[in-house]
Amino acid sequence: MKKTLFFMRHGQTLFNVRKKIQGFCDAPLTELGVKQAKIAGEYFKTHNIVFDKAYSSTSERACDTLELITDMPYKRLKGLKEWNFGTFEGESEDLNPPLPYGDFFATFGGEKEMDFRARLLTTMESMMSQSDHDTVLAVSHGAACAQFARHWEGTSKIGKISGLKNCCILQFEYEDGQFTLVDFINHDFEKLT
């Protein structure tokens, strides 16, 4: 039986506005970030999407986003956290190397790219393989969403994705241990479109 995963990025944060590297470190949602999360919640209501289960990264920005989308109980998972950028955490985004990052951050106490991706894959598989998880919401981070989608590009029904905006939603189908990207909602979430 096919299941559905809505995997999304948190709302805009203070560090997003200030162009700071934000992985394991955290910054609060901005006023716009709060508005984006509420609009994402309206998107789900408008499309009659009801979740069986909800999960969030342990980062406050993701938990706050989820709590603005739905008032249902949810579980916080460290496996949904953003890439650990090591000593680059909180520094200017100008210091980021060119993409792809690969293992750059591991040299500075962060995670290797494939270790980060494996963490996400293990977390998602564990989550979606449970019997009572037919429609699931998981709130995470930009690089987490991008890395997970990149791993499943070969099964994607919509091709490659890029430019993940705050509160973007990646809709995956899950069946027999395989994820398929079937939709990518990536508008500005400053108004319901």
Side-chain angles (χ1 to χ4, degrees):
M1 182 181 109
K2 284 185 183 174
K3 300 180 178 188
T4 304
L5 168 67
F6 292 93
F7 190 35
M8 67 178 290
R9 184 181 181 196
H10 59 78
Q12 182 193 71
T13 68
L14 178 63
F15 275 19
N16 293 144
V17 172
R18 298 196 57 211
K19 306 273 189 236
K20 299 286 186 184
I21 297 171
Q22 147 178 257
F24 270 35
C25 72
D26 210 358
L29 295 179
T30 61
E31 186 176 315
L32 175 57
V34 168
K35 182 179 178 184
Q36 290 168 331
K38 288 178 179 176
I39 291 170
E42 285 302 313
Y43 171 86
F44 290 121
K45 285 179 190 158
T46 302
H47 290 84
N48 298 314
I49 298 166
V50 179
F51 308 111
D52 299 313
K53 301 289 178 180
Y55 293 88
S56 173
S57 155
T58 54
S59 297
E60 183 177 324
R61 62 192 185 270
C63 294
D64 287 352
T65 298
L66 187 146
E67 290 171 12
L68 291 162
I69 290 169
T70 178
D71 59 0
M72 71 183 294
Y74 68 97
K75 187 171 183 181
R76 296 166 34 126
L77 296 176
K78 287 184 180 182
L80 292 175
K81 282 186 74 142
E82 181 61 293
W83 197 329
N84 180 350
F85 296 118
T87 57
F88 280 75
E89 294 280 348
E91 298 292 340
S92 172
E93 288 179 357
D94 295 338
L95 298 176
N96 274 334
L99 290 168
Y101 295 153
D103 292 341
F104 175 83
F105 295 106
T107 338
F108 300 94
E111 282 179 288
K112 292 182 177 181
E113 181 177 14
M114 289 303 124
D115 291 347
F116 170 47
R117 192 180 291 189
R119 169 168 60 83
L120 293 167
L121 294 170
T122 300
T123 301
M124 294 301 204
E125 172 64 25
S126 172
M127 209 168 46
M128 294 305 293
S129 63
Q130 296 179 58
S131 61
D132 57 347
H133 287 54
D134 294 327
T135 305
V136 175
L137 172 65
V139 181
S140 188
H141 308 273
C145 291
Q147 283 289 325
F148 189 72
R150 192 167 298 131
H151 181 80
W152 294 104
E153 275 177 357
T155 63
S156 176
K157 291 184 178 176
I158 63 170
K160 293 182 179 183
I161 61 165
S162 63
L164 284 74
K165 297 178 181 177
N166 289 104
C167 280
C168 67
I169 303 164
L170 291 83
Q171 181 179 343
F172 288 90
E173 288 177 347
Y174 174 78
E175 189 173 32
D176 299 326
Q178 183 168 303
F179 290 86
T180 304
L181 183 60
V182 295
D183 201 3
F184 180 42
I185 300 96
N186 197 36
H187 59 69
D188 62 16
F189 279 100
E190 292 183 36
K191 61 181 193 271
L192 191 56
T193 57

